[in-house]
Amino acid sequence: MTEPERPPYSSIAGLAWPALPPPAGQSMLAICFQLELSQWLDAQTLRQQQLRQLRRLVEFAHAHVPHYRGHLSRAGIDGAAAIDAESFLRWPVLTKTEIREHGQDLAATSIPASHGSISWSTTSGSTGQPLRAATSGIAALFQQAVLLRMQSWYGVDPQSKLAVIRMTAETPYSGSWGAPTDLAFRTGPAVKLSAFESHEKQLDWLCREQPGCLIVHNANLQALLRRSRLHGKAPRGLRTVMGFSDMASPGLRGMVRDIWNAEYFDTYSCAELGPLALQCREHANLHLQSERVFLEVLGADGAACAAGEIGRVVVTDLHNFAMPLIRYELGDYARLGPPCPCGRGLPVLAGIAGRGGQTAVDPTGRSFFPRLNFDFWLDVAAVQQWQVAQLAPADLEVRYVGERDLTADEQSQLASEIRKAMRYDYRIAFTRLAVIAHAPGGKFDDFVSLHHHLRTTDG
Amino acid sequence: VTAAHWIPHSGVAGLAWPALPPAPGQRTLAIQFQLDRSQWLEPDAIASQQFRQLRYLVKHAQERVPHYRDHLRRSTISGPDAIDAQSFLRWPVLSKPDIQQGGDSLLARGLPEHHGGAHWVTTSGSTGQPVRVANSNSGAFFQHALLLRSHLWFELDPRGKFAIIRATSPKAVNRDWGIPANTAFHTGPSVILSAFEDHRAQLNWLRSEAPACLQAHNTNLRALMATSLRENLVPASIRTVIGFADMPPPDIRAQILAHWNARYFETYSCSEIGTLALQCPRHDHMHVQSEHVLLEILRPDGSPCAPGEIGRVVVTDLHNFAMPLIRYELGDQAALGPPCPCGRGLPVLQLIAGRTSDLAIDPTGRTFFAHLNMGFWATVAPITQRQIVQLAPDRLEIRYVAERDLTTDEIAGLVREIRAAMRYEYAINCVRVPNIRPGPGAKFVDFVSMIRG
């Protein structure tokens, strides 16, 4: 199925294989070599190495980042060297509100020159609260190394054409994939399209461009696949589809295979830290990218969740000294799973419960994270995109984009599936829309709560 | 366990893991990244990359190395781009006398940018014919890369002490393992002893240094093992033994495991090019190091041997542009094996079947490889080292080193075994000698033929 591995390119005349790429490519491959080995470390060794790096970060943050100056003593930790999985649980969680309100105090007063230059970016995150984050050159390098790992895991041929559909598509065409791939490898061209284009236009564009590899929001992908099936139109030559951002339905992989004859892989990332978890090469599990990110799943009381227990996702970027995000609460909910049968020691993120992180309620007072991304949506061909909104404790609205109005039968079938999934007999209204708006920043919530009192208040 | 210990050191403050070592270490790891993958490529994909690299070398050789100026034309190859597995068979083989007589004509008139300088390497190889070869820094860089690969394949613990016993080195103590390991990793110390030391002294040195890994000539290892058994001196700290230079005795692996509780790994190298083959991490045979060397096994008529067929070893160093060695005949014999069950695409080198200068004959005219590395040497008589010399087609001399003269019964036992192995009723006399000096280049010549022409 996969092409033979493409070796890197060489910057030295006459030396083609093995290659010596330019210095930036050498740095990238030096990290990639370590990632090749570290993925097979056992979970305990991985944790030891994470803590070793974490202590360096905390030591730096304590000395150079005003926001963290008192954190060690407030957490009752006797110096950075005393950081371990236990004591770290006492380190205060960093909320988006804190970043928004105290952003200046989170930037390091200075960073070592060897960490490279600092770049600023703006993100909304999954809860739609925009914030600015600073990233060091070194942290960006490590983020990029994980992206290269992703391409390697999924057998992506860098010499094929890459298509990206995301919110911004400032360079619709470029001769190469850009960093990190072209730091060490010859690549094919890359084409980009805005996800705000209609699905009709997106699909036509894919059929015209015929990329080998596609990167796309999961919700957008699902809409594209439905349209593709409805119109019998599929991009030719597509081999690999990598989904990101929104929650992937369990049936998405099968749809990509059936409708486009391509392999689908899910990823979990955030703008501030880059990839957090990548789907296993051999299994449906998402592997935490432990070399980059220290990820915790916490219960309501702040204690670490047991495997299988759903809790809040709190992450630490191990390498970004420009603006250390230490125990940063993303607003997502997830649970850790049992070890993956592939043998990699990288922990498994078994489920990300509602990447939008919005809770549903019912009139009995139960609040929960609705998982509505089931295959029954696929059975109703007229629905290209959907969103469920909670208007009141007993009232839901199904918003959908489609070619035509749903029939009464289709509505009743969907309503019964939703009631079954949400375990309450809600009143359900159906509204057909021309477009369903994304949250600021481009993430798409399949469930939104408009019921004022339902919103979580800690984010 | 290995991956947990092979975590590089970092050159960037505050970054411990993953690490970013200084530039030379990044170069080292960038190559290891590729070697880590290329070993799993399909044989065809490996060959295709080798020939891609070979075409650059041939182009350079044709343009800048006088000796090779006419080789393409003489081989009726239309240009470097037309080099492939088929046409390359017509490229003339480079012999040791070619190098001895060729002088400077094999030296490149200038190196491409960033290939570094060049240095001389002198060797007698396995044939006792001394040659002087210039190697470029980039050629040496790839030699080093394979050394590091061997550490990883053999699952050495970089924190351990590394002991080397070799012929040419004076006694030394170093704080690390040296290049290339120290460019990217913190390692334990290394210690070096000369192979000309008495074997009991070597054993005592090993016991006092207590290394985790020992690298030594195979012949020396055999003698060390015999002394170890006789004197009941065990270097108990050793976990891994890496044999090199001459042919490993067939029972050395089992002996090292049984008596020293250590794993033995075989390697095949030459001074001119470096590592040619390394033992598979999972099996007893070796893998050709195809990322650095294009290794062919040829019949007497120059055609390629089929798998399993013993032939002459002819090698091309893919990266030395200072004095390109293209289809260079080493004087060794080997056979390629079937694909390895480990899944690596690197060709399997099943055995190194001696040297062309050391062929045995019998009065019927049969010429054959005197493969006398059998276990009986260790069981029939208390011999610490031996050499077989063929004086005439029907006459052999066994020179041996031992604490005492062999008894009549022991000699009779040896003679019986040798005749059986060599399938001829030779006249054999046994001579006890104080020592057997290694041949030229410190390689021990196991079987010496005094018959010339």
Side-chain angles (χ1 to χ4, degrees), chain B residues 365-377:
Chain B
R366 181 169 60 109
T367 302
F368 60 100
F369 171 53
H371 189 64
L372 285 169
N373 290 292
M374 286 84 170
F376 65 77
W377 295 103

Side-chain angles (χ1 to χ4, degrees), chain A residues 83-385:
Chain A
I83 291 275
D84 58 24
E86 198 61 40
S87 65
F88 196 50
L89 284 168
R90 300 198 299 271
W91 184 280
V93 165
L94 177 69
T95 63
K96 294 200 177 190
T97 309
E98 279 179 290
I99 299 185
R100 212 171 41 246
E101 290 173 3
H102 311 293
Q104 293 302 350
D105 284 351
L106 274 159
T109 49
S110 70
I111 66 167
S114 53
H115 282 239
S117 54
I118 296 171
S119 59
W120 286 88
S121 61
T122 305
T123 166
S124 74
S126 47
T127 51
Q129 299 168 298
L131 52 91
R132 267 163 66 75
T135 307
S136 71
I138 283 286
L141 185 74
F142 281 91
Q143 281 188 22
Q144 290 177 340
V146 174
L147 290 175
L148 265 187
R149 166 188 269 176
M150 175 177 87
Q151 293 171 14
S152 157
W153 276 12
Y154 305 156
V156 171
D157 179 0
Q159 294 188 6
S160 65
K161 186 190 272 188
L162 170 70
V164 182
I165 303 179
R166 59 169 153 235
M167 293 307 134
T168 53
E170 60 290 344
T171 47
Y173 177 87
S174 57
S176 108
W177 292 16
T181 319
D182 72 358
L183 296 178
F185 298 91
R186 300 258 179 248
T187 76
V191 290
K192 290 177 189 162
L193 191 71
S194 164
F196 290 114
E197 298 287 357
S198 72
H199 292 124
E200 179 185 5
K201 186 167 175 189
Q202 289 182 36
L203 184 61
D204 287 347
W205 176 80
L206 281 176
C207 291
R208 196 170 59 246
E209 293 289 352
Q210 298 186 7
C213 175
L214 169 66
I215 298 176
V216 60
H217 288 79
N218 281 321
N220 192 18
L221 172 63
Q222 205 149 335
L224 279 171
L225 286 163
R226 277 201 211 94
R227 185 169 182 90
S228 185
R229 185 170 59 184
L230 193 64
H231 293 272
K233 220 154 94 174
R236 289 167 62 179
L238 189 60
R239 298 271 297 270
T240 314
V241 178
M242 291 178 274
F244 71 101
S245 188
D246 329 284
M247 225 162 99
S249 80
L252 199 50
R253 175 190 287 249
M255 275 178 88
V256 171
R257 193 173 294 147
D258 294 345
I259 302 172
W260 286 354
N261 192 28
E263 282 295 311
Y264 167 81
F265 296 98
D266 191 16
T267 65
Y268 174 44
S269 59
C270 71
E272 304 90 320
L273 280 81
L276 305 172
L278 299 176
Q279 189 186 317
C280 178
R281 183 177 190 147
E282 294 91 16
H283 300 92
N285 292 326
L286 285 166
H287 279 292
L288 289 183
Q289 298 301 293
S290 301
E291 297 93 340
R292 266 284 299 140
V293 177
F294 190 92
L295 186 145
E296 301 166 89
V297 177
L298 302 180
D301 59 355
C305 287
E309 211 179 320
I310 292 178
R312 299 176 290 151
V313 176
V314 169
V315 291
T316 299
D317 182 325
L318 291 170
H319 305 115
N320 186 13
F321 286 30
M323 180 169 161
L325 297 179
I326 305 178
R327 302 199 91 215
Y328 168 48
E329 180 162 2
L330 282 179
D332 292 344
Y333 289 77
R335 63 190 162 86
L336 294 170
C340 184
C342 71
R344 288 179 181 82
L346 300 171
V348 166
L349 208 57
I352 302 160
R355 286 190 189 171
Q358 298 203 22
T359 32
V361 296
D362 70 21
T364 69
R366 178 172 64 107
S367 85
F368 58 100
F369 299 102
R371 283 210 60 190
L372 292 168
N373 224 344
F374 293 117
D375 292 347
F376 60 73
W377 296 101
L378 310 179
D379 299 332
V380 183
V383 175
Q384 283 172 17
Q385 195 179 6

Side-chain angles (χ1 to χ4, degrees), chain A residues 13 16 27 34 36 53 115 152, chain B residues 13 16 19 26-27 37 53 115:
Chain A
S27 306
Q34 295 172 70
E36 289 278 340
Q53 177 58 35
H115 282 239
S152 157
Chain B
Q26 290 181 25
R27 255 196 309 281
R37 297 175 158 221
Q53 175 58 37
H115 281 235

Side-chain angles (χ1 to χ4, degrees), chain B residues 61 65-71 74 94 98 102 105-106:
Chain B
V65 184
H67 176 84
Y68 293 114
R69 198 163 285 151
D70 294 327
H71 271 49
R74 280 164 57 192
L94 178 71
D98 286 339
S105 74
L106 273 153

